[in-house]
Amino acid sequence: MNITTYNRRKAAGKCVYCGSVEPEPGRVSCKSCSIKRSKKYYHDDEFRKRLSEYHSKKYHDRKVSGICTVCGKASAEHGGLKCKACTMKISAYMKNYNSKNNICK
Ligand SMILES: [Zn+2]
Ligand SMILES: [Zn+2]
Protein backbone atom coordinates (compact mmCIF):
# COMPACT_ATOMS: atom_id res chain seq x y z
CA MET A 1 0.00 0.00 0.00
CA ASN A 2 1.38 3.40 -0.89
CA ILE A 3 1.00 6.61 1.07
CA THR A 4 -1.54 8.07 -1.39
CA THR A 5 -3.92 5.18 -0.83
CA TYR A 6 -3.38 5.48 2.88
CA ASN A 7 -4.16 9.21 2.92
CA ARG A 8 -7.13 8.89 0.58
CA ARG A 9 -8.71 6.19 2.70
CA LYS A 10 -7.97 8.08 5.87
CA ALA A 11 -9.49 11.26 4.46
CA ALA A 12 -12.55 9.33 3.33
CA GLY A 13 -13.03 8.00 6.86
CA LYS A 14 -12.31 4.41 5.86
CA CYS A 15 -9.98 1.81 7.23
CA VAL A 16 -6.58 2.52 5.63
CA TYR A 17 -5.86 -1.18 5.10
CA CYS A 18 -9.02 -2.56 3.54
CA GLY A 19 -10.66 0.75 2.56
CA SER A 20 -14.12 -0.74 2.81
CA VAL A 21 -15.29 -0.17 6.36
CA GLU A 22 -15.07 2.59 8.93
CA PRO A 23 -12.08 2.44 11.26
CA GLU A 24 -12.42 2.04 14.96
CA PRO A 25 -12.79 5.31 16.87
CA GLY A 26 -9.44 7.04 17.25
CA ARG A 27 -7.70 4.55 14.97
CA VAL A 28 -6.88 4.35 11.29
CA SER A 29 -7.91 0.75 10.79
CA CYS A 30 -10.98 -1.40 11.39
CA LYS A 31 -11.01 -4.05 14.04
CA SER A 32 -10.44 -7.01 11.75
CA CYS A 33 -7.51 -5.32 10.04
CA SER A 34 -5.86 -4.38 13.30
CA ILE A 35 -6.22 -7.94 14.54
CA LYS A 36 -4.86 -9.27 11.28
CA ARG A 37 -1.94 -6.88 11.42
CA SER A 38 -1.07 -7.54 15.02
CA LYS A 39 -1.03 -11.26 14.26
CA LYS A 40 1.16 -10.61 11.28
CA TYR A 41 3.46 -8.56 13.45
CA TYR A 42 3.68 -11.31 15.96
CA HIS A 43 4.70 -13.80 13.31
CA ASP A 44 7.07 -11.38 11.69
CA ASP A 45 10.56 -12.79 12.15
CA GLU A 46 12.19 -9.41 11.72
CA PHE A 47 10.05 -7.94 14.44
CA ARG A 48 10.71 -10.82 16.78
CA LYS A 49 14.42 -10.61 16.10
CA ARG A 50 14.46 -6.92 16.96
CA LEU A 51 12.51 -7.62 20.11
CA SER A 52 14.90 -10.30 21.26
CA GLU A 53 17.87 -8.10 20.38
CA TYR A 54 16.37 -5.37 22.50
CA HIS A 55 15.87 -7.72 25.38
CA SER A 56 19.32 -9.20 25.14
CA LYS A 57 20.86 -5.72 25.00
CA LYS A 58 18.94 -4.71 28.09
CA TYR A 59 20.00 -7.93 29.74
CA HIS A 60 23.60 -7.34 28.75
CA ASP A 61 23.58 -3.73 29.96
CA ARG A 62 22.25 -4.77 33.32
CA LYS A 63 24.69 -7.61 33.58
CA VAL A 64 27.74 -5.47 32.97
CA SER A 65 26.57 -2.76 35.34
CA GLY A 66 25.87 -5.30 38.08
CA ILE A 67 22.13 -4.66 38.13
CA CYS A 68 19.56 -7.42 38.57
CA THR A 69 18.72 -8.71 35.08
CA VAL A 70 15.14 -9.40 36.12
CA CYS A 71 13.86 -6.21 37.70
CA GLY A 72 16.66 -3.90 36.57
CA LYS A 73 16.36 -1.93 39.78
CA ALA A 74 18.22 -3.57 42.62
CA SER A 75 21.86 -4.47 42.33
CA ALA A 76 22.60 -8.08 41.60
CA GLU A 77 23.95 -10.33 44.29
CA HIS A 78 27.68 -10.69 44.25
CA GLY A 79 28.68 -12.83 41.31
CA GLY A 80 25.06 -13.37 40.34
CA LEU A 81 22.71 -11.98 37.76
CA LYS A 82 19.73 -11.35 40.00
CA CYS A 83 18.99 -9.47 43.17
CA LYS A 84 17.99 -11.37 46.29
CA ALA A 85 14.29 -10.56 45.95
CA CYS A 86 14.16 -11.75 42.34
CA THR A 87 16.14 -14.90 43.10
CA MET A 88 13.64 -15.76 45.80
CA LYS A 89 10.67 -14.87 43.62
CA ILE A 90 11.93 -17.06 40.79
CA SER A 91 12.80 -20.01 42.97
CA ALA A 92 9.34 -19.81 44.57
CA TYR A 93 7.79 -19.64 41.12
CA MET A 94 9.84 -22.58 39.86
CA LYS A 95 8.94 -24.63 42.90
CA ASN A 96 5.29 -23.88 42.29
CA TYR A 97 5.64 -24.57 38.59
CA ASN A 98 7.42 -27.86 39.16
CA SER A 99 4.92 -29.10 41.70
CA LYS A 100 2.06 -28.18 39.37
CA ASN A 101 3.66 -29.93 36.44
CA ASN A 102 5.07 -32.83 38.33
CA ILE A 103 2.52 -35.30 37.06
CA CYS A 104 3.69 -38.91 36.68
CA LYS A 105 4.41 -39.57 33.07
ZN1 LIG B 1 -10.02 -2.81 7.52
ZN1 LIG C 1 15.68 -7.98 40.95
Side-chain angles (χ1 to χ4, degrees), residues 35-84:
I35 290 171
K36 237 182 272 169
R37 289 183 65 83
S38 69
K39 275 190 187 150
K40 183 177 167 278
Y41 234 18
Y42 186 74
H43 292 292
D44 189 330
D45 283 343
E46 194 57 37
F47 176 74
R48 279 224 296 254
K49 211 174 90 191
R50 274 206 306 266
L51 203 71
S52 73
E53 270 170 14
Y54 169 75
H55 282 302
S56 66
K57 189 185 179 301
K58 203 162 75 174
Y59 182 89
H60 182 78
D61 286 348
R62 286 173 178 178
K63 197 171 143 185
V64 292
S65 40
I67 297 169
C68 169
T69 54
V70 180
C71 63
K73 287 172 198 155
S75 54
E77 290 219 274
H78 185 71
L81 298 170
K82 295 183 276 289
C83 70
K84 198 160 192 165

Side-chain angles (χ1 to χ4, degrees), residues 15-21 29-34:
C15 166
V16 295
Y17 300 117
C18 62
S20 57
V21 287
S29 62
C30 69
K31 193 158 195 160
S32 72
C33 284
S34 57

